[in-house]
Amino acid sequence: MAADKLSALDLLVNFSVNPSQQSTSTEYFGNEQSMIDNQSLDIKGPLLDVLSAHSSNPEEDLFLLGCGMLLIEIKFLEKLIRSFRADDTFDAYIFKTKFRVKIPIDL
């Protein structure tokens, strides 16, 4: 699971959920890892999750793992973390393969 990979890198992992998912997510992830979407924002979908996370911790950097990147190898996440810690002036990091460019993670 992606959360296990991120936790193994000593990153705090939270799951943004809507209010109807709160009881189920709390049972599964616990109170500490479940973050309820900010319903005062007039948006829906993944953007609501991101903005809810940001509004709850505006001074913290966010490490977002796209849902299409759940199987990413931990060695690539480690490389990304090392790059960010060495130089945190970039707004986003992009993975490029010989076949295509992927934008899986923003910091």
Side-chain angles (χ1 to χ4, degrees), residues 16 18-21 23-25 27 35-36 39 44 48 59 61 63 69 74 76-77 87 92 94-95 99 101 105-106:
S16 180
N18 66 50
S20 68
Q21 299 169 316
S23 62
T24 304
S25 68
E27 288 176 25
M35 180 184 57
I36 307 307
Q39 297 299 300
K44 304 259 186 262
L48 176 59
E59 299 301 318
D61 291 318
F63 188 106
M69 299 297 294
I74 198 163
F76 296 117
L77 295 174
D87 183 358
I94 298 171
F95 282 105
F99 301 109
V101 172
I105 302 170
D106 293 326

